[in-house]
Amino acid sequence: MALWKTQPTLRLFVPQPIRVGEPFVATLEIEAREPVPVEWVDLTLECVEGWAVGSGKNRVSRVHRYPKVGARLVEETELSGTTRHQASFTIPFDEPPSQHGGPAYVRHTFHAQASIPWWPDARVSWPITVRAASVPATPSPVVVQTNASDLIEVSLESQRVAVQGIVGGLVALKKLDTPLVVDLALREVLTLVSWNGYERVRHGRGF
């Protein structure tokens, strides 16, 4: 057994997007530039939820750690060269999606550890973004007329569309003898309603 050992390089590959409740496959690439013995290699996924307000002596915080899920990718062996190992994961429905910024946060993190006998273990962590579960939208057909309603009429299969869903419909041109250039685009319309009933509407992306 060599007295000096070289830790392997660990790289993680995951698909995008990752959603709550949907299984996905994580791939751990292990590159051992020199042969190195390992007792095991584990890959675990951790979710931490918390919040913090105030500062100094007035700072108040709470942290909740959900149960970790993991897989043993490699049993006791000698690593050499580059190998890839896969494991299937599913974010449970009782875990929230990722949240960054502000006093509250939800963080999902992958941790990989290669246990090397009589040597410091190789450890790497990767934060990942988890999105909310995809909920199928209930179809709700609608017909939209432009200001020039005598020229263009748009009918949509549904005015409710799931995230990353497909908007389907038809465009009717009523006066074919008039040259027209039709350009269709989706635009966000965000409405905030305060406790006193005052509404603020913004067209575009965010406030």
Side-chain angles (χ1 to χ4, degrees):
M1 179 181 297
L3 297 179
W4 183 271
K5 302 173 184 177
T6 302
Q7 292 181 342
T9 300
L10 308 178
R11 303 183 184 92
L12 181 69
F13 301 89
V14 295
Q16 293 294 334
I18 296 174
R19 295 189 181 278
V20 172
E22 297 183 4
F24 66 96
V25 175
T27 302
L28 183 68
E29 182 181 270
I30 306 175
E31 180 185 359
R33 291 181 293 274
E34 296 181 7
V36 56
V38 295
E39 296 174 320
W40 44 260
V41 178
D42 283 357
L43 182 64
T44 57
L45 178 58
E46 179 184 36
C47 177
V48 179
E49 178 182 19
W51 56 267
V53 294
S55 60
K57 295 182 179 179
N58 297 321
R59 180 179 175 85
V60 179
S61 63
R62 294 291 185 273
V63 176
H64 174 69
R65 298 181 181 274
Y66 290 86
K68 294 182 179 180
V69 292
R72 176 147 296 179
L73 302 181
V74 178
E75 297 290 349
E76 185 173 3
T77 187
E78 181 178 80
L79 296 175
S80 179
T82 300
T83 57
R84 285 194 169 194
H85 309 269
Q86 294 184 327
S88 179
F89 292 86
T90 301
I91 308 296
F93 280 104
D94 61 348
E95 289 187 12
S98 300
Q99 168 64 36
H100 306 285
Y105 61 87
V106 179
R107 299 169 184 159
H108 295 82
T109 308
F110 266 109
H111 304 280
Q113 179 179 356
S115 177
I116 304 174
W118 303 100
W119 199 257
D121 292 349
R123 302 171 184 261
V124 185
S125 297
W126 302 271
I128 63 170
T129 298
V130 175
R131 298 183 181 179
S134 179
V135 179
T138 302
S140 177
V142 63
V143 176
V144 181
Q145 292 184 340
T146 65
N147 293 332
S149 59
D150 59 331
L151 297 179
I152 302 176
E153 182 178 276
V154 179
S155 60
L156 301 178
E157 294 177 356
S158 177
Q159 58 183 326
R160 300 187 181 95
V161 182
V163 175
Q164 294 188 336
I166 298 176
V167 179
L170 297 173
V171 177
L173 306 178
K174 297 184 178 180
K175 290 187 178 181
L176 298 180
D177 57 340
T178 303
L180 293 176
V181 176
V182 180
D183 184 12
L184 297 179
L186 291 178
R187 184 173 61 172
E188 294 177 342
V189 179
L190 305 180
T191 303
L192 293 182
V193 182
S194 64
W195 61 270
N196 59 3
Y198 172 75
E199 289 191 6
R200 179 187 178 191
V201 179
R202 171 67 67 87
H203 298 269
R205 296 185 60 83
F207 287 78

